[in-house]
Amino acid sequence: AQKVTQAQTEISVVEKEDVTLDCVYETRDTTYYLFWYKQPPSGELVFLIRRNSFDEQNEISGRYSWNFQKSTSSFNFTITASQVVDSAVYFCALSEPDDKIIFGKGTRLHILP
Amino acid sequence: DAGVTQSPTHLIKTRGQQVTLRCSPKSGHDTVSWYQQALGQGPQFIFQYYEEEERQRGNFPDRFSGHQFPNYSSELNVNALLLGDSALYLCASSLGQGPYEQYFGPGTRLTVT
């Protein structure tokens, strides 16, 4: 069965520090998709990235980067030079083709000024 | 470009009552998914509608039902409300079925007393 584990419930870092959010997933399928979403205090989930299982190339988007490693079933998310506006709950999610998206329980990130 | 809208924003109901939540997808999107997010948890998939039919369903009882209209908007109905149904209900839209990027609405906060 599909499963997404975000072991870090809550993280606090000082502004400008780098922070990595961990995500470990379980799936029986060879074709699947991984996502990261951000949920700011307003409550609306914001899509950050989608990665399919055949593309292990790491991705960088500004201060955000993602490290996908199939060998360890992990899809970690790093924020470089964190800012207060990065404070939010971040969700990792997994979907197999034609199946529902399974979310992890989320990591609450506090960026302290 | 209008994003996903949901109504109402907040709702208070009594145990045993019925409730209807509404969602209008992002312009150009034809698929609507509904999620339940309990406090401190990740969103849990309820069901997905495409071409006015329920295409996928999560582990929710039959008390949860839905509908999609020809204009792609959708309703979520919950009958015989339980205290445990209190949660944030999120609607997400996407273009086509499958694990595509989903755009979320701000949610409806349902409180059952």
Side-chain angles (χ1 to χ4, degrees):
Chain A
Q2 297 174 303
K3 185 179 180 181
V4 176
T5 302
Q6 295 181 256
Q8 303 152 308
T9 305
E10 202 160 346
I11 300 175
S12 293
V13 299
V14 177
E15 195 173 20
K16 297 183 183 178
E17 288 185 351
D18 298 347
V19 59
T20 295
L21 309 183
D22 298 333
C23 174
V24 174
Y25 61 92
E26 294 178 27
T27 178
R28 294 168 296 187
D29 214 319
T30 56
T31 301
Y32 52 90
Y33 299 84
L34 296 165
F35 303 81
W36 275 96
Y37 281 86
K38 173 182 180 180
Q39 188 173 39
S42 62
E44 194 166 329
L45 273 85
V46 177
F47 169 84
L48 296 178
I49 189 172
R50 182 187 77 155
R51 177 54 51 87
N52 73 59
S53 54
F54 298 107
D55 182 5
E56 286 193 74
Q57 189 170 12
N58 292 330
E59 183 158 339
I60 298 174
S61 176
R63 297 184 296 106
Y64 295 170
S65 62
W66 291 269
N67 182 276
F68 176 28
Q69 293 195 344
K70 290 178 74 170
S71 61
T72 57
S73 297
S74 65
F75 186 44
N76 296 337
F77 172 34
T78 297
I79 301 175
T80 303
S82 61
Q83 299 176 3
V84 173
V85 293
D86 295 327
S87 297
V89 181
Y90 290 86
F91 292 97
C92 179
L94 164 71
S95 175
E96 295 168 359
D98 301 325
D99 206 347
K100 56 187 178 290
I101 295 179
I102 302 297
F103 284 81
K105 292 188 176 182
T107 296
R108 183 174 296 276
L109 178 63
H110 299 279
I111 308 298
L112 308 173
Chain B
D1 182 17
V4 179
T5 60
Q6 292 186 243
S7 63
T9 305
H10 296 87
L11 203 53
I12 299 175
K13 288 287 189 178
T14 302
R15 192 170 43 185
Q17 286 187 319
Q18 178 263 344
V19 68
T20 297
L21 310 182
R22 295 176 177 81
C23 170
S24 290
K26 178 179 169 62
S27 179
H29 285 183
D30 57 7
T31 302
V32 172
S33 301
W34 286 93
Y35 295 84
Q36 179 195 68
Q37 186 178 19
L39 204 60
Q41 300 294 316
Q44 299 289 314
F45 176 78
I46 302 175
F47 41 55
Q48 182 183 79
Y49 276 85
Y50 173 70
E51 292 187 338
E52 301 180 49
E53 289 190 14
E54 183 182 296
R55 300 293 180 167
Q56 301 174 44
R57 188 178 183 91
N59 295 324
F60 280 81
D62 293 343
R63 299 187 297 109
F64 290 76
S65 63
H67 189 77
Q68 185 178 36
F69 299 93
N71 66 352
Y72 307 122
S73 66
S74 177
E75 288 182 349
L76 164 65
N77 301 293
V78 187
N79 295 321
L81 285 167
L82 304 174
L83 295 179
D85 294 332
S86 295
L88 180 67
Y89 288 85
L90 295 164
C91 170
S93 73
S94 56
L95 181 59
Q97 287 187 278
Y100 303 125
E101 174 182 342
Q102 293 190 337
Y103 288 80
F104 282 79
T108 293
R109 173 72 63 186
L110 172 65
T111 302
V112 182
T113 61

